[in-house]
Amino acid sequence: MSSFIFRNARVIDPVRKIDSKGDVGVIDGRIAEASEVRGGEVIDLGGKVLSPGFIDLHVHLRQPGNNMAETIASGTAAAAAGGFTSVVAMPNTNPPADTAGAIEFLRQTAAKKAVVRVLPCGCMTKGYAGEEMAGIGSLKAAGVVALSDDGRCIQDHALMRHVVEYAKSFNLPILDHCEDKCLAAGGVMHEGKWSVLLGMNGISGASEELMIARNIILARQIGWKIHMQHVSVKESVELLRNARAKGIPVTGEATPHHLTLTDECIKKYDTNYKMNPPLRSEEDRLALIAGVADGTITAIATDHAPHTMTAKMVEFDYAPFGIIGLETALPVSYGELVAKGVISLPRLVELFTAGPADILGFVDYSLAPGNPADLTVFDPEAKYTVDKEQFKSNSRNTPFDGWEVQCKTMLTMVGGKIVYNEL
């Protein structure tokens, strides 16, 4: 494999609490001291940031089942363009990833087509139908890193308890889409002022709050990790804050779109603003930002959910939930959190690296010599206009097209191989 020396970098490594100018070496796919590299390619970064590779906990690659919207090849190319070196592939494919065979298909396809690391996530229940527990032991043996019925939430509390108990015995974190079906039934947007004004069926914030409270109780009782996906309402943040203060093993993620957009955007009737959980109120958005600032929220994840243009070009009520986010996550998050002085740049890097790694149980996810050379280089000063037609993803369902943004991915390296380069 090739060797590299990255010179004149602003090295940000949250695990080792480093934020300083320096050089980083790569030898045979692993990080090394720059002084140890002999004859490698020298890349002068001119002060750009070099950090551990970003990890996205929440990505829909759509393969198998909907290759028109996304494939493992196109989805991982989009991930590389966004600075992500690892993505957790959600299991709600067709067929679902609820067996060892389905996980093996994902792993084999990723080995041939993926340009970043694809981390398999297995279903909690068979067919992710919420009725019968999946074969968690066989899923673990097949190589899953976590369990989720993403897109759905187990409504049977006793079943959820058994799933968490088995997950603990196999050392697999739970990633849960928290939603009470009864309270959310028929809703297409947040239940509030704007759903009333627009005459649309609302999704109550209580539908999320209720299941987060359930999960906190189970995490406390069983003593195992439950991670709350795409937290969206103020009350959920408060529940997580209080639970974490008591040492209960729960975590939460926020998406860039929930940090920046609100339900008022729906007045455009643009289906690229339709997602689940829906865009919430300004009060909820500000509570999420506060949760990021005080450490209640420990990761940013995209919930990258590709859909074809045809699928989204229907009446709002009938359009599928979801937007893409891999290629806009960094600049959108930077603009809302760092540019506005809410958090520091090292803290933002932590939300994309050490935070997700800790949720997955990865040890020492850092730039320490000997670790795999999964690196992200980005320029916080670079300004540009988001152009969805330039995306690597197969899909274009984004609300951020045309946005003037700052902070651009310049290079992504996975295992010592450059998979994206705009230097």
Side-chain angles (χ1 to χ4, degrees):
M1 299 184 70
S2 300
S3 298
F4 299 87
I5 301 176
F6 293 98
R7 294 209 183 281
N8 299 317
R10 178 182 174 183
V11 179
I12 297 181
D13 188 353
V15 168
R16 298 195 297 162
K17 302 187 185 318
I18 292 173
D19 178 11
S20 62
K21 184 176 180 179
D23 302 335
V24 174
V26 174
I27 301 175
D28 294 334
R30 294 193 174 272
I31 298 168
E33 297 290 350
S35 59
E36 297 177 358
V37 180
R38 298 289 182 267
E41 180 181 351
V42 178
I43 301 176
D44 192 325
L45 296 183
K48 297 178 181 64
V49 175
L50 186 151
S51 76
F54 297 169
I55 300 172
D56 194 337
L57 290 169
H58 197 165
V59 173
H60 302 268
L61 293 176
R62 301 301 193 210
Q63 188 178 3
N66 191 3
N67 290 16
M68 293 295 291
E70 200 74 286
T71 64
I72 289 171
S74 65
T76 57
F84 294 95
T85 57
S86 296
V87 296
V88 178
M90 290 296 102
N92 55 340
T93 48
N94 185 19
D98 60 352
T99 64
I103 300 302
E104 184 60 25
F105 168 83
L106 176 65
R107 289 168 61 90
Q108 288 187 9
T109 306
K112 297 175 184 176
K113 303 292 186 180
V115 297
V116 306
R117 301 183 194 276
V118 176
L119 308 177
C121 181
C123 292
M124 292 192 285
T125 63
K126 293 181 179 180
Y128 78 109
E131 297 175 355
E132 184 180 355
M133 187 166 60
I136 293 175
S138 62
L139 290 172
K140 170 72 173 184
V144 303
V145 299
L147 299 171
S148 179
D149 272 5
D150 180 62
R152 300 178 184 176
C153 180
I154 296 175
Q155 304 295 294
D156 184 327
H157 305 322
L159 175 58
M160 184 63 175
R161 173 184 174 177
H162 291 315
V163 168
V164 177
E165 288 171 339
Y166 271 80
K168 180 180 181 180
S169 69
F170 287 104
N171 197 33
L172 290 170
I174 296 288
L175 315 178
D176 199 31
H177 172 112
C178 302
E179 182 180 52
D180 181 275
K181 286 182 180 179
C182 294
L183 292 178
V188 297
M189 66 172 292
H190 173 61
E191 181 182 278
K193 167 188 170 182
W194 283 101
S195 65
V196 173
L197 289 175
L198 297 173
M200 292 189 180
N201 291 329
I203 298 175
S204 169
S207 64
E208 175 181 294
E209 181 188 1
L210 186 63
M211 286 305 188
I212 284 185
R214 185 272 306 267
N215 287 348
I216 289 170
I217 292 168
L218 292 178
R220 182 195 67 208
Q221 182 182 43
I222 298 166
W224 188 239
K225 299 183 290 185
I226 304 180
H227 173 71
M228 318 302 173
Q229 297 179 305
H230 42 45
V231 176
S232 69
V233 294
K234 177 184 71 172
E235 291 79 10
S236 298
V237 177
E238 293 172 354
L239 285 170
L240 279 172
R241 182 179 289 117
N242 293 336
R244 289 173 58 78
K246 295 175 183 177
I248 299 172
V250 290
T251 51
E253 73 192 26
T255 71
H257 47 275
H258 285 113
L259 291 168
T260 55
L261 305 171
T262 70
D263 56 343
E264 184 176 354
C265 296
I266 308 299
K267 67 184 180 182
K268 302 174 183 179
Y269 294 100
D270 183 342
T271 58
N272 288 322
Y273 292 95
K274 183 180 181 182
M275 65 280 295
N276 191 19
L279 297 175
R280 301 291 190 180
S281 70
E282 176 67 2
E283 185 180 15
D284 292 317
R285 189 185 73 84
L286 293 176
L288 271 182
I289 290 174
V292 169
D294 68 15
T296 299
I297 302 295
T298 60
I300 291 176
T302 66
D303 190 12
H304 179 81
H307 293 290
T308 64
M309 187 178 299
T310 302
K312 278 288 194 178
M313 287 183 65
V314 295
E315 294 91 337
F316 199 93
D317 281 1
Y318 302 112
F321 292 104
I323 64 169
I324 55 176
L326 285 166
E327 295 170 80
T328 54
L330 176 61
V332 169
S333 300
Y334 180 92
E336 191 59 47
L337 300 173
V338 179
K340 293 183 179 180
V342 176
I343 61 174
S344 67
L345 186 57
R347 169 68 176 144
L348 181 67
V349 171
E350 181 181 11
L351 289 162
F352 280 116
T353 60
D358 181 67
I359 290 163
L360 295 173
F362 296 169
V363 177
D364 188 27
Y365 191 76
S366 73
L367 298 175
N371 282 349
D374 290 5
L375 310 172
T376 299
V377 175
F378 63 92
D379 184 355
E381 303 302 319
K383 297 180 180 179
Y384 67 102
T385 302
V386 175
D387 181 359
K388 66 182 181 181
E389 298 306 323
Q390 300 301 315
F391 284 171
K392 305 293 185 183
S393 172
N394 278 355
S395 293
R396 300 289 181 265
N397 52 310
T398 174
F400 300 116
D401 185 44
W403 275 40
E404 299 294 330
V405 295
Q406 180 176 339
C407 195
K408 184 173 178 57
T409 302
M410 304 306 295
L411 181 143
T412 307
M413 173 178 278
V414 179
K417 180 181 179 181
I418 295 175
V419 296
Y420 179 80
N421 190 356
E422 284 209 13
L423 288 174

